[in-house]
Amino acid sequence: MVLYEKGLPFEFIKVDFATRQQKTPEYLAMNPFGVVPCIDDNGFILYESRAIARYLEENYPGGPGLIPSDPKQRALFDQAAASEASNFDHYCSPLVFEAVVKKRLNLEPDPPLHKELSDNLNATLDVYDQILAKQKYIAGDSLTLADLYHIPVAVLLSYADIDIARGRPNVKRWFDEISSRPSWQKAKEGLDT
Ligand SMILES: N[C@@H](CCC(=O)N[C@@H](CS)C(=O)NCC(=O)O)C(=O)O
């Protein structure tokens, strides 16, 4: 999504989970954790999607400017990004495993864990709805990477009929806007869903 926001040329190489390509020695040499994504930028190898997004934003021109330069705005961006990791993705990623991946792989569900993760996520989203009642985006009134960080996992949750915006008008307004950006529409075409 960030590559499209900035208009940077790239080659997208799919890693085939069915053949566990992410665990081959060649791939582990790039990302020793054996997960996607990772980038090779003229020999510079980087993994962790949020670190990749920051690297692209800070090292290449173009796009709307997704990390504020003013120190206080930057601190609010760091706060929102840390909050996404601790209060949102911390619950969403395991919930995607529970609600989407397990179903697809016919694995035994864990309803108490599903409930605990959903309850925690709902508590976060109620706070988000209050924050987004006062400002346009999650770090303030400008779009930042912290907004974009939320999109892929929230879209994956929608495959389990978990709608982060249901009953939360401000989250709905925010998420509809960020997920309808042409950059996401293009990025998701390349994803297996
Ligand atoms: N925090 C990492 C998460 C990476 C991750 O868990 N990727 C998943 C797909 S979304 C993966 O590659 N799973 C394959 C596996 O666990 O073998 C990031 O944001 O890059």
Side-chain angles (χ1 to χ4, degrees):
M1 189 176 180
V2 176
L3 289 162
Y4 285 123
E5 285 287 346
K6 300 184 75 65
L8 296 171
F10 64 95
E11 179 192 5
F12 178 59
I13 302 174
K14 268 191 188 171
V15 177
D16 185 13
F17 285 2
T19 57
R20 296 186 60 75
Q21 205 184 349
Q22 76 275 26
K23 310 296 182 198
T24 57
E26 295 75 22
Y27 189 81
L28 291 173
M30 295 176 74
N31 182 348
F33 292 99
V35 290
V36 299
C38 92
I39 60 164
D40 177 345
D41 184 20
N42 293 317
F44 178 64
I45 309 291
L46 193 66
Y47 54 84
E48 281 297 337
S49 56
R50 293 157 183 81
I52 293 169
R54 290 180 86 121
Y55 167 78
L56 295 171
E57 177 60 21
E58 289 178 323
N59 287 279
Y60 289 99
L66 295 166
I67 302 179
S69 49
D70 170 79
K72 285 188 176 148
Q73 295 306 315
R74 171 86 176 217
L76 292 172
F77 159 71
D78 287 337
Q79 171 182 267
S83 180
E84 184 273 335
S86 306
N87 300 320
F88 185 80
D89 188 63
H90 185 65
Y91 304 121
C92 284
S93 284
L95 196 50
V96 165
F97 187 72
E98 268 310 308
V100 185
V101 180
K102 273 190 168 178
K103 205 171 272 177
R104 289 186 184 180
L105 299 179
N106 270 327
L107 298 173
E108 193 66 35
D110 183 342
L113 177 62
H114 188 298
K115 185 181 178 322
E116 188 188 324
L117 293 167
S118 301
D119 289 350
N120 285 323
L121 177 60
N122 281 325
T124 291
L125 292 168
D126 289 343
V127 176
Y128 270 31
D129 208 49
Q130 292 166 26
I131 294 171
L132 291 163
K134 296 186 222 127
Q135 59 195 48
K136 236 177 133 192
Y137 298 100
I138 205 67
D141 282 322
S142 303
L143 178 79
T144 66
L145 285 181
D147 297 294
L148 307 193
Y149 289 169
H150 292 80
I151 297 177
V153 78
V155 169
L156 280 174
L157 279 178
S158 71
Y159 295 120
D161 206 24
I162 299 172
D163 177 1
I164 65 162
R166 195 175 293 144
R168 299 184 183 96
N170 304 300
V171 171
K172 179 164 173 44
R173 188 254 317 141
W174 166 73
F175 198 74
D176 283 352
E177 186 195 317
I178 61 174
S179 61
S180 61
R181 292 183 74 78
S183 59
W184 173 248
Q185 298 308 314
K186 280 194 223 156
K188 76 174 181 190
E189 281 167 22
L191 301 177
D192 287 328
T193 49

